Amino acid sequence: MAPPMHPALEPLSFLLGTWSGTGHGAYPTIEPFDYLETATFGHAGKPFLAYAQRTTAPDGAPMHVETGYWRPVRPGWVELVVAHPTGVAELAEGSLQGQRLELRTTSVSLTPTAKEVTVLERDLEVVGDVLRYELRMAAVGEPLAFHLAAELHRQPAEG
Amino acid sequence: MAPPMHPALEPLSFLLGTWSGTGHGAYPTIEPFDYLETATFGHAGKPFLAYAQRTTAPDGAPMHVETGYWRPVRPGWVELVVAHPTGVAELAEGSLQGQRLELRTTSVSLTPTAKEVTVLERDLEVVGDVLRYELRMAAVGEPLAFHLAAELHRQPAEG
């Protein structure tokens, strides 16, 4: 049986559950692309959200995944720890106002073979049962630029 | 339906599946403790393993979780990216010989409120259906010291 939610998670509880929808990606070094995404936010009774997402091409071919934790460290402020399978470890922090988050890189670290990423900016907002986010990125020598935007819809809880 | 395994994952395929068992923890700054652990290694057709684990106290109270990716980047060599909900992002690399891994920190980065961790050393070996690991850690001003050891057993595949 799931443990009760930690009270410190209340400000982020609007994220709990599974979200699915579509997104669009672009970057100066690649062709623009569309994708399908499913993201889940869960908890285990502790003061953080467990996060995982996966994207696929419209034909179902796997694209990106990432996984990590969202930490509400004080009122209106959230820290993020995300592992990317590309060899990138992302740390970010930023403001939480209502159901809107603006998270900015505090540290991006890379394994020896990872592609260079230096900055990630994540804006995320939930309105009703719709989650929209935009991600901007500085990577592979390019300045900060638009990379991803998606609109996800809250999925019914499982039986 | 699950996509076929990426051929680059073959050297790490012995990890695929779910493992459960018991462990023992200690550190100079804390009381020794026992724990239950479940770890899963999966794939989605890409050249990395998706990893997640959770530990509980013997009475079932949630303890640690972590999640990330294992990347076989060349023969006999693996990179690791792990997100910890404590605000720690861990990057490591090391040798794979047969079914034994010896992974050493290349970078530990911390969110502003995270407890200081500077080095993690992970030794992991699978013999038959038993996975054993030991984790040593340098943290909170202490030198590298034993922290965790566990013995996990391969669980029957679902469905």
Side-chain angles (χ1 to χ4, degrees), chain B residues 6 13 18 30 39 49-50 56 62 70 74 82 91-93 95 136 140 147 158:
Chain B
H6 193 289
S13 60
T18 299
I30 57 174
L49 286 180
T56 63
W70 301 61
R74 57 177 191 270
V82 179
L91 298 182
E93 64 175 349
S95 63
R136 296 174 297 280
V140 293
H147 181 42
E158 286 179 19

Side-chain angles (χ1 to χ4, degrees), chain A residues 40-59:
Chain A
T40 60
F41 294 86
H43 79 90
K46 293 257 205 161
F48 54 82
L49 286 180
Y51 161 69
Q53 65 86 260
R54 61 176 187 278
T55 63
T56 63
D59 69 0

Side-chain angles (χ1 to χ4, degrees), chain A residues 3 44-46 48 50-51 53 62-69 71 73-74 79-93 106-114, chain B residues 3 44-46 48 50-51 53 62-69 71 73-74 79-93 106-114:
Chain A
K46 293 257 205 161
F48 54 82
Y51 161 69
Q53 65 86 260
M63 295 178 71
H64 185 70
V65 294
E66 61 189 37
T67 181
Y69 303 99
R71 294 160 43 86
V73 290
R74 59 177 190 270
E79 294 180 350
L80 182 65
V81 184
V82 178
H84 297 250
T86 47
V88 174
E90 172 192 359
L91 298 182
E93 63 174 350
T106 53
S107 155
V108 175
S109 44
L110 307 172
T111 61
T113 69
Chain B
K46 293 257 201 160
F48 54 81
Y51 160 69
Q53 65 86 260
M63 293 180 71
H64 186 69
V65 294
E66 61 190 35
T67 181
Y69 303 99
R71 295 159 43 86
V73 290
R74 57 177 191 270
E79 293 180 352
L80 182 65
V81 184
V82 179
H84 298 250
T86 47
V88 174
E90 173 191 359
L91 298 182
E93 64 175 349
T106 54
S107 157
V108 175
S109 44
L110 307 173
T111 61
T113 68

Side-chain angles (χ1 to χ4, degrees), chain A residues 77-126:
Chain A
W77 203 253
V78 172
E79 294 180 350
L80 182 65
V81 184
V82 178
H84 297 250
T86 47
V88 174
E90 172 192 359
L91 298 182
E93 63 174 350
S95 63
L96 168 65
Q97 293 191 297
Q99 298 193 150
R100 179 174 176 82
L101 286 149
E102 298 186 357
L103 302 175
R104 304 292 179 256
T105 292
T106 53
S107 155
V108 175
S109 44
L110 307 172
T111 61
T113 69
K115 198 173 288 189
E116 187 221 12
V117 176
T118 53
V119 179
L120 294 163
E121 294 192 350
R122 296 175 184 258
D123 296 337
L124 182 156
E125 187 166 30
V126 171

